[in-house]
Amino acid sequence: MAAERFQSFGLATPPAPRAIDVEDGIALLRGGQARPASLLGYGNGRSYGDSCQNEAGTVIDMRPLNTIRAFNAETGVLEADAGVLLSDIIAHAAPHGFFPAVVPGTQFVTLGGAIANDVHGKNHHRRGSFGCHVESFTLLRSDGRTWRCSATENPRLFAATIGGMGLTGLILSASIRLMRVHSLDIVERVTPFRDLGEFFGLAEAADQANEYAVAWIDQLASGPNSGRGLLFTGNHAEHGSHAASGAGGTLSVPFQPAFNVLNRPFLTAFNAIYRWKKGRSTGPRQVGYQGFFFPLDGVHDWNRLYGPKGLFQHQSVVPEDTARVVVPALLSAARRAGQGSFLTVLKRFGSIRSPALLSFPRPGYTLTLDFSNRGPATLTLLRELDRITVEAGGAVNPYKDARMSADMFASSFPEWRRLEALRDPAFMSSFWARTAKKLDTHCGSAEAAE
């Protein structure tokens, strides 16, 4: 295990200094061994920031805990260990006509990580977040007890653990409800739009008519082309494949280059080619699920292209009534800073509430930007994006973050003290240490206990 780097996907934060296998972690929590300063479960390292890191303590590698325990082909309820990947769940359930109700932009996340981050997908307007489809889970805490948690059994721990970023204990296994689908294939339609005004005119109708909807923005386009992009909508095809097509593509980035390959000239050319290739066919076409949901999974370790300094991702959500002003302001701030975003995604969140205490999705529009790490210049831009977001009544995604301030976190998640009150005292992350622990937790604990 010493040769493996337990890193976040953004590569802008240092890898975990200490890691242990899940069986050793379970023994620690059950009292069989001396316990280190703090612990944190580590899934597959797909969080972009330091919510999956524990710089002052030890991370527990959850991936060996990877058995699918049961699946009901009538109801779609699946029970699996926390280390099972979503790709494994898809492959297991697809022949029976089921698919996860919510998938993020990669299938290489663990079940425990999807719960801990309450991930969302392209259909939040229809299905809400991942936590909306969790039936129950087992949670091992540092008191040595294994807690069964659901909406009716230990409901406070249930709500705190969903979206709790691994801070309430170690999720060992979970039961989730999958959704029945006609096939894995997607009937996709691509609609070009000239600017953001045209996109906002399309967005609500697209959500009403489709299971999935997401927009790609040409972030570098300026002047009369500012805000142009492509709206992707999709629904499961009535006649298509029921077989999973494997875990991603065969391409890979075998080593990390000494410089950022995804620089501005590359991004300008890429955006032009992508817009031309994807936007030339606007009629519906049937595509495989891998390309629709997980396009970047086709190139393993693509994050290495950002070079040794890695990348920062900024994902914000702003209320619907401010989005027409705020989203252009966010894009404009990035252009003024001379920073290009490789993947710029805009989508609309619906009003379905998550059972989680802390959940990033909320009604409005969410914008995701990826920036190469250029040091102080990039951090200055990210603070400006934070400012624009919070002044509009919005929030920044914590599990995509590696640098937001404690005050920014508190503005985004005013209920954070309730999670702190239920946090397992033996669990800590680098994210929580630099945000919530810098705030006044004494008052929060007293409030949550009332």
Side-chain angles (χ1 to χ4, degrees):
M1 187 177 294
E4 187 168 2
R5 290 170 63 87
F6 288 81
Q7 188 106 23
S8 71
F9 198 71
L11 304 177
T13 56
R18 291 166 294 278
I20 58 175
D21 186 80
V22 61
E23 294 302 328
D24 293 331
I26 291 173
L28 285 173
L29 292 169
R30 288 180 174 160
Q33 303 175 32
R35 188 178 300 155
S38 62
L39 296 166
L40 184 72
Y42 180 96
N44 204 31
R46 291 287 161 149
S47 296
Y48 279 78
D50 56 359
S51 65
C52 65
Q53 297 293 301
N54 185 14
E55 186 177 0
T58 299
V59 298
I60 302 172
D61 182 10
M62 299 298 296
R63 289 169 295 181
L65 206 65
N66 59 3
T67 300
I68 294 178
R69 298 181 173 273
F71 178 65
N72 188 321
E74 296 296 323
T75 65
V77 174
L78 177 141
E79 181 183 358
D81 290 344
V84 167
L85 297 177
L86 289 190
S87 59
D88 300 324
I89 292 174
I90 293 170
H92 190 90
H96 304 281
F98 284 92
F99 191 76
V102 174
V103 294
T106 175
Q107 62 192 315
F108 300 133
V109 297
T110 62
L111 174 58
I115 295 171
N117 291 309
D118 196 21
V119 297
H120 57 272
K122 297 176 175 67
N123 59 347
H124 186 272
H125 58 283
R126 288 274 182 98
R127 310 290 171 178
S129 60
F130 196 89
C132 296
H133 307 277
V134 176
E135 294 271 283
S136 64
F137 53 79
T138 56
L139 184 72
L140 178 61
R141 285 171 61 89
S142 61
D143 58 7
R145 294 176 57 191
T146 299
W147 299 70
R148 177 178 168 81
C149 301
S150 68
T152 57
E153 191 173 1
N154 299 307
R156 295 178 71 218
L157 274 179
F158 182 74
T161 302
I162 298 173
M165 294 179 284
L167 296 168
T168 60
L170 207 62
I171 301 174
L172 299 180
S173 64
S175 292
I176 59 172
R177 296 185 310 278
L178 308 184
M179 69 175 180
R180 190 177 290 279
V181 295
H182 295 296
S183 74
L184 294 187
D185 291 346
I186 300 295
V187 177
E188 176 190 76
R189 182 184 291 273
V190 182
T191 305
F193 51 87
R194 295 183 300 271
D195 53 36
L196 289 172
E198 187 174 0
F199 163 76
F200 286 120
L202 296 169
E204 185 172 357
D207 282 358
Q208 291 176 353
N210 298 282
E211 177 73 31
Y212 305 105
V214 64
W216 168 83
I217 306 293
D218 184 354
Q219 179 260 337
L220 291 176
S222 58
N225 294 322
S226 178
R228 69 184 179 185
L230 304 170
L231 174 62
F232 295 84
T233 55
N235 298 281
H236 287 274
E238 289 192 13
H239 305 286
S241 174
H242 282 87
S245 54
T250 57
L251 298 176
S252 67
V253 181
F255 62 90
Q256 189 173 70
F259 58 92
N260 170 32
V261 175
L262 304 178
N263 51 36
R264 191 179 182 92
F266 173 89
L267 294 178
T268 301
F270 172 84
N271 285 356
I273 294 170
Y274 185 85
R275 183 170 175 270
W276 172 79
K277 182 178 179 180
K278 292 290 187 179
R280 61 181 174 168
S281 176
T282 58
R285 64 189 187 111
Q286 192 159 316
V287 300
Y289 76 96
Q290 295 270 14
F292 184 82
F293 293 110
F294 317 120
L296 291 177
D297 283 352
V299 181
H300 294 286
D301 298 318
W302 63 266
N303 54 333
R304 291 177 175 174
L305 295 173
Y306 281 94
K309 293 184 179 179
L311 72 144
F312 290 107
Q313 185 170 101
H314 190 277
Q315 183 174 21
S316 58
V317 57
V318 295
E320 192 157 347
D321 59 356
T322 66
R324 291 174 181 264
V325 174
V326 178
V327 172
L330 292 167
L331 294 172
S332 178
R335 286 195 300 271
R336 288 197 307 271
Q339 188 101 30
S341 168
F342 172 52
L343 186 65
T344 304
V345 174
L346 179 62
K347 56 191 172 186
R348 184 172 176 265
F349 283 150
S351 58
I352 300 174
R353 290 183 59 87
S354 169
L357 278 183
L358 300 189
S359 185
F360 169 70
R362 59 204 71 183
Y365 285 87
T366 177
L367 178 70
T368 303
L369 299 151
D370 289 344
F371 300 116
S372 61
N373 179 10
R374 292 163 49 187
T378 306
L379 294 174
T380 297
L381 167 61
L382 294 169
R383 286 192 293 270
E384 174 64 6
L385 299 179
D386 287 350
R387 182 193 65 78
I388 294 170
T389 299
V390 74
E391 287 183 0
V396 174
N397 192 342
Y399 63 85
K400 300 287 186 73
D401 174 73
R403 42 84 250 163
M404 82 165 78
S405 69
D407 288 340
M408 183 66 208
F409 173 63
S411 297
S412 296
F413 296 89
E415 299 291 310
W416 67 268
R417 291 183 177 90
R418 296 176 63 193
L419 175 57
E420 172 61 21
L422 291 166
R423 179 178 62 86
D424 189 301
F427 280 69
M428 180 55 64
S429 69
S430 297
F431 172 85
W432 201 253
R434 69 176 169 83
T435 56
K437 293 306 291 182
K438 289 187 177 180
L439 300 167
D440 180 10
T441 60
H442 175 74
C443 175
S445 297
E447 290 175 358
E450 291 178 355

